[in-house]
Amino acid sequence: MGLFIRKSIESLQDEAAETGSKTLKRVLGPVSLVALGVGVIIGAGLFSITGTVAASYSGPAITLSFIIAAIGCCFAGLCYAEFASMIPVAGSAYTYSYATMGELIAWIIGWDLVLEYTVAATTVSISWSRYLTVFCQGIGIEFPHALTACPWDGGIINIPAMVIVVLMSIILMRGTAGSSFFNGLIVFLKIAVILIFVILGWKFIQTDNYIPYIPENTGKLGEFGISGILRGAAIVFFAFLGFDAVSTAAQETKNPKRDMPIGILVSLLICTILYTLFAHVMTGVAHYTEFEGQVGIAPVAVAIEKMGYPDAAGVVQPVYPWLNKAIILAILFGYCSVIMVTLLGQSRVFLSMSRDGLLPPFFSRINEKYRTPVHSNCLFMVLVSLLAGFVPAEVAGEMTSIGTLLAFTLVCAAILVVRKTMPDIHRAFKTPFVPFVPIMGILTCLCMMCFLPADTWIRLVLWMLVGLDVYACYGIRHSKLEHGKAHRQGDIVLNVLGLVLSVLSVITGLWHQQTVGWQEDKTLLTVSFVFAFAHCAFYMWRIWKHSHAHENADKNAKTEPNP
């Protein structure tokens, strides 16, 4: 089968049934899974980038952006639920792709998921830092701006964002049971916060703030108007990756065939309702332009300051001055669960890839005391903390969205494949209305991807090129399904894919420069061209080497005497 060899469903089910000190501990039930999903969905979407999206892309119509994103998410969620009930093992879309579309596609989606969770944890930790700064200002403590913002936001390093990543990583290393209990308490707190915000804020809604509900397009694609709503939907889409994180915990679930669909779909339904209500109140109590700049990464703090009545000078005096501090404090605790769950999903995908031989075995070793993949946790603790310290939140948020959308697209496509190739495999849950649901999921996700900024596409293409390099240099030789082969059937597909991505690197670089203007900074254009030419040379060399090896093999076959 070569690069498209598939893991058998039987081997995956055997893996799911493993027990012992070197396996993940089964401690999660349906309530814990719903809490897991709600925990990461609510924190990532409502409390971080909502203000930035409203101010820069959609205006008050951000409620429509959430609804559009939820529709696409529903299609993908139904597909995820079928896979989670059929293949209840860690690894999420990576494992599903390995069983249905083969190793190369599985590697691509796994590498994409690593990106998705990395930048999601980065985005939320940066927002956590901003809320902490606002909270401390309210009690008279001022942090130096240089130490609470990255260089692109006028600072030097974001130390609070780095600290919270390290703390959550340490909690994860000590075991999923404790972290699940911690997450459950915080999820209850976050839902209470949202309900308080909606109920108290509803009477302070100023209908003038909704006019115009859909601001006129500025003349640029994605800046307000219909295209702005679609771009907003694409950016906030990453807020729905909660059910994706749920599926990565399948191997730690007591009854995954029953509980995984419940955890995925119920958490999605709860959060869609809360998202729409929250966004409506937020843009009603404060004009969408007031979320511009760095304050947009902490939109709740801005909105609560507008819950009041104007004084003689026309300045709004908050009716609930205590509410800002109380809610921000609750959000700070709530964000901890978001960061923790994204780090959990990230390490579990890496664990699955390592177990399959596509990454070094170092990352799949389970600590016998805590029964967690400590090495993977340590790697991402360092990586995510560095990103949180030096990368702006807007860039990280957009990267999460495109990674999530790509993952969901491939999962929807995999359902079409598995219904044809594995019709008799038992499923505790079946995606309804196939092929309509998966096809609509694919189209919705691709549509939203097209409305993301060009620089986001550049970073995705470069990340995928790096991933292909790792697979070509390590994974292709060490795969446990076909171990030790330097050249495998289908190798040409990998090389051609590398060349195609190289061409896309050039195209996206030119697209980005055309969008921002040819007089602007050309760093991304230069990087995209350097990557493109270097990888063209590398994959052309691989093609030549492969063909040369075949020629030598043919010559040897002709010179060998017939028996």
Side-chain angles (χ1 to χ4, degrees):
M1 292 294 291
L3 301 189
F4 293 95
I5 191 169
R6 297 183 301 192
K7 293 186 75 171
S8 69
I9 297 295
E10 291 76 14
S11 67
L12 290 171
Q13 291 173 341
D14 289 343
E15 182 180 332
E18 288 180 358
T19 59
S21 62
K22 295 185 180 297
T23 62
L24 298 174
K25 192 175 182 180
R26 296 188 179 278
V27 294
L28 304 177
V31 175
S32 298
L33 289 173
V34 171
L36 198 69
V38 171
V40 70
I41 293 172
I42 288 178
L46 290 185
F47 302 144
S48 57
I49 63 167
T50 312
T52 301
V53 170
S56 303
Y57 305 117
S58 61
I62 187 173
T63 51
L64 298 180
S65 296
F66 275 125
I67 291 171
I68 292 170
I71 291 171
C73 194
C74 182
F75 292 134
L78 291 170
C79 296
Y80 261 100
E82 177 168 334
F83 274 121
S85 68
M86 185 174 69
I87 311 173
V89 296
S92 183
Y94 161 75
T95 304
Y96 307 155
S97 300
Y98 213 152
T100 57
M101 295 187 287
E103 183 176 287
L104 177 59
I105 303 299
W107 170 266
I108 292 171
I109 191 62
W111 191 252
D112 172 66
L113 286 172
V114 171
L115 170 68
E116 173 189 327
Y117 287 120
T118 298
V119 290
T122 300
T123 303
V124 181
S125 60
I126 296 170
S127 183
W128 186 91
S129 173
R130 179 60 192 168
Y131 274 113
L132 178 67
T133 302
V134 172
F135 177 79
C136 291
Q137 287 173 346
I139 58 176
I141 301 174
E142 288 283 344
F143 290 136
H145 181 73
L147 302 181
T148 58
C150 71
W152 283 270
D153 288 332
I156 298 175
I157 183 174
N158 195 333
I159 292 179
M162 300 178 72
V163 169
I164 191 61
V165 171
V166 172
L167 290 177
M168 290 302 100
S169 296
I170 291 173
I171 290 176
L172 269 181
M173 291 178 201
R174 294 184 63 85
T176 306
S179 57
S180 175
F181 175 75
F182 173 71
N183 177 68
L185 291 176
I186 289 178
V187 168
F188 174 79
L189 181 63
K190 285 196 293 187
I191 292 178
V193 165
I194 294 169
L195 294 176
I196 291 171
F197 178 84
V198 170
I199 293 170
L200 295 183
W202 198 274
K203 65 180 180 180
F204 294 105
I205 290 176
Q206 301 293 321
T207 54
D208 290 346
N209 289 333
Y210 296 130
I211 302 174
Y213 186 67
I214 303 177
E216 186 178 353
N217 184 262
T218 61
K220 293 183 178 180
L221 183 71
E223 291 187 5
F224 305 110
I226 300 301
S227 65
I229 294 173
L230 291 173
R231 175 168 290 183
I235 294 173
V236 300
F237 196 88
F238 96 87
F240 289 97
L241 66 86
F243 63 81
D244 178 71
V246 170
S247 67
T248 66
Q251 220 168 335
E252 293 155 276
T253 303
K254 296 175 183 176
N255 186 357
K257 289 188 177 182
R258 182 200 67 186
D259 297 344
M260 293 304 295
I262 294 174
I264 290 171
L265 298 176
V266 173
S267 61
L268 174 59
L269 176 63
I270 292 172
C271 293
T272 300
I273 295 171
L274 292 175
Y275 268 36
T276 307
L277 290 173
F278 184 94
H280 180 73
V281 172
M282 185 195 79
T283 53
V285 299
H287 196 266
Y288 70 91
T289 56
E290 297 185 67
F291 298 103
E292 292 178 341
Q294 192 181 7
V295 297
I297 200 65
V300 175
V302 177
I304 292 176
E305 289 297 322
K306 297 297 180 180
M307 291 182 185
Y309 303 100
D311 58 16
V315 178
V316 174
Q317 298 298 321
V319 173
Y320 309 108
W322 54 269
L323 183 62
N324 206 338
K325 297 184 182 65
I327 285 187
I328 290 176
L329 184 62
I331 289 172
L332 286 171
F333 282 104
Y335 264 28
C336 295
S337 70
V338 182
I339 298 168
M340 184 176 64
V341 173
T342 51
L343 290 171
L344 180 145
Q346 184 183 56
S347 63
R348 278 15 178 211
V349 172
F350 223 61
L351 166 71
S352 295
M353 296 172 76
S354 176
R355 278 182 168 176
D356 293 331
L358 305 183
L359 290 170
F362 177 80
F363 297 112
S364 58
R365 291 176 189 163
I366 302 296
N367 181 278
E368 292 193 11
K369 180 178 180 181
Y370 299 118
R371 293 171 66 177
T372 58
V374 172
H375 297 150
S376 293
N377 289 137
C378 287
L379 170 68
F380 289 114
M381 178 181 71
V382 174
L383 176 61
V384 174
S385 62
L386 289 175
L387 289 174
F390 296 101
V391 172
E394 183 178 355
V395 171
E398 291 170 356
M399 285 303 299
T400 310
S401 295
I402 199 167
T404 306
L405 287 164
L406 178 59
F408 292 173
T409 300
L410 290 177
V411 168
C412 291
I415 283 293
L416 297 174
V417 174
V418 79
R419 285 295 183 91
K420 292 291 184 181
T421 58
M422 305 174 185
D424 299 325
I425 297 295
H426 174 69
R427 299 159 170 82
F429 177 87
K430 294 187 71 173
T431 303
F433 307 115
V434 174
F436 174 78
V437 167
I439 289 176
M440 288 303 298
I442 292 170
L443 294 177
T444 305
C445 292
L446 289 178
C447 178
M448 284 189 279
M449 287 176 71
C450 291
F451 281 92
L452 283 168
D455 59 335
T456 303
W457 278 90
I458 293 176
R459 296 183 183 96
L460 176 66
V461 171
L462 298 186
W463 175 259
M464 299 313 295
L465 278 171
V466 172
L468 280 187
D469 295 344
V470 175
Y471 181 67
C473 297
Y474 183 89
I476 200 170
R477 294 172 178 266
H478 295 84
S479 168
K480 289 186 176 179
L481 295 186
E482 287 191 347
H483 186 72
K485 295 184 179 180
H487 297 287
R488 294 166 58 187
Q489 184 181 353
D491 195 60
I492 187 64
V493 177
L494 172 65
N495 298 326
V496 170
L497 183 58
L499 294 176
V500 170
L501 286 174
S502 300
V503 173
L504 282 176
S505 181
V506 172
I507 293 173
T508 53
L510 294 172
W511 174 26
H512 167 70
Q513 204 61 46
Q514 177 67 29
T515 302
V516 300
W518 291 96
Q519 303 303 317
E520 300 298 323
D521 181 74
K522 295 183 175 62
T523 301
L524 276 178
L525 178 66
T526 303
V527 171
S528 65
F529 269 66
V530 170
F531 259 73
F533 292 131
H535 283 85
C536 271
F538 175 66
Y539 287 103
M540 289 296 292
W541 171 78
R542 280 182 54 86
I543 291 173
W544 173 83
K545 184 179 177 182
H546 186 64
S547 61
H548 188 64
H550 271 293
E551 288 177 4
N552 289 338
D554 291 340
K555 288 179 182 178
N556 292 335
K558 291 179 180 178
T559 56
E560 288 179 0
N562 292 326

